[in-house]
Amino acid sequence: GLEALSGIPGTVGAAPIQNIGAYGAEVASSVVSVRVLDRRTGQVVELPAAACGFGYRHSLFKAEPGSRVVLAVRLRLARGSASAPVRYAELARALGVELGSTAPAAQVREAVLALRRGKGMVLDPADPDSVSAGSFFTNPVVAQAPEGAPSWPADGGVKVSAAWLIEQAGFGKGWGDGPVGLSTKHTLALVNRGGATTADLLGVARAVRDGVRARFGITLVPEPVVVGSHR
């Protein structure tokens, strides 16, 4: 049930905060409950998945930052060698299966890792594009997608490919001539080319966000949570 999440960096405790997801899967689909320390009351509470406010790269924990510490995550996984249904077209093509069908879980894991490596999304000392925070912007949900934009139904609207918006707004792969720029493999990744500061990275993020907004009237939202004085 977690094979499509292979290669996502982080910890078990962080997974429900972001409701990590990739290739058509989210950790929320496997979460039974999350045990937390409520920093406001000092109590330890077991929250069922339905009380965690899970959404697209979102949760109750992300909505109320700093209010809880995740102590444990209880997951329900399926026994057997078959994967969960494959729900992402790119992954289905890589596996040679139809959308909604299953494949050997180990084979799905290897296919996911290969796709991620091809986008610089697996840490590799030999790949300078892998020095990033992963996909920096979430795919926006809007009432109507721009003409030609890859999109799919979501939350009463349509979810639009942020990577497509960025590229169509004039920010191609490898864009930027400073210490931070876009990955040469994937326009959603902001890469530290050496010696970059947080301010450098957020400056590039703002330039991309503002460019997309000027071109399409859509405001991209960062996927990472920014803390401290740089917000």
Side-chain angles (χ1 to χ4, degrees):
L2 301 178
E3 54 279 341
L5 307 184
S6 296
I8 297 178
T11 62
V12 172
I17 294 174
Q18 182 75 352
N19 185 18
I20 61 170
Y23 296 101
E26 293 180 334
V27 76
S29 64
S30 298
V31 171
V32 175
S33 63
V34 180
R35 187 183 311 147
V36 300
L37 167 66
D38 191 319
R39 297 180 65 192
R40 300 161 297 188
T41 66
Q43 293 183 318
V44 173
V45 181
E46 190 88 14
L47 295 175
C52 292
F54 289 129
Y56 171 55
R57 304 298 182 271
H58 194 70
S59 70
L60 170 70
F61 318 114
K62 188 173 179 181
E64 300 176 357
S67 62
R68 299 170 181 84
V69 178
V70 175
L71 303 178
V73 182
R74 206 163 149 237
L75 303 170
R76 179 177 287 114
L77 306 178
R79 289 184 180 274
S81 60
S83 71
V86 177
R87 305 192 186 281
Y88 199 80
E90 184 184 23
L91 179 57
R93 287 193 298 270
L95 291 164
V97 301
E98 295 292 324
L99 274 175
S101 62
T102 65
Q107 185 178 337
V108 173
R109 172 178 165 78
E110 289 308 313
V112 166
L113 289 172
L115 288 170
R116 291 180 67 88
R117 285 190 190 96
K119 298 174 183 177
M121 294 294 187
V122 176
L123 189 61
D124 180 354
D127 182 3
D129 278 330
S130 72
V131 187
S132 77
S135 296
F136 195 85
F137 295 104
T138 57
N139 294 317
V141 177
V142 298
Q144 184 174 356
E147 185 176 353
S151 62
W152 50 99
D155 300 328
V158 288
K159 187 181 292 185
V160 181
S161 166
W164 185 91
L165 294 172
I166 291 168
E167 195 140 8
Q168 295 301 309
F171 303 94
K173 296 180 179 70
W175 180 86
D177 55 6
V180 173
L182 300 187
S183 166
T184 65
K185 301 180 180 67
H186 194 13
T187 55
L188 269 183
L190 275 59
V191 175
N192 181 351
R193 295 169 174 164
T197 64
T198 302
D200 293 329
L201 183 138
L202 294 181
V204 169
R206 282 190 291 268
V208 171
R209 178 201 63 192
D210 294 349
V212 169
R213 185 162 53 199
R215 174 71 173 81
F216 295 105
I218 296 172
T219 300
L220 296 180
V221 176
E223 187 168 328
V225 176
V226 180
V227 297
S229 60
H230 293 287
R231 280 182 287 182

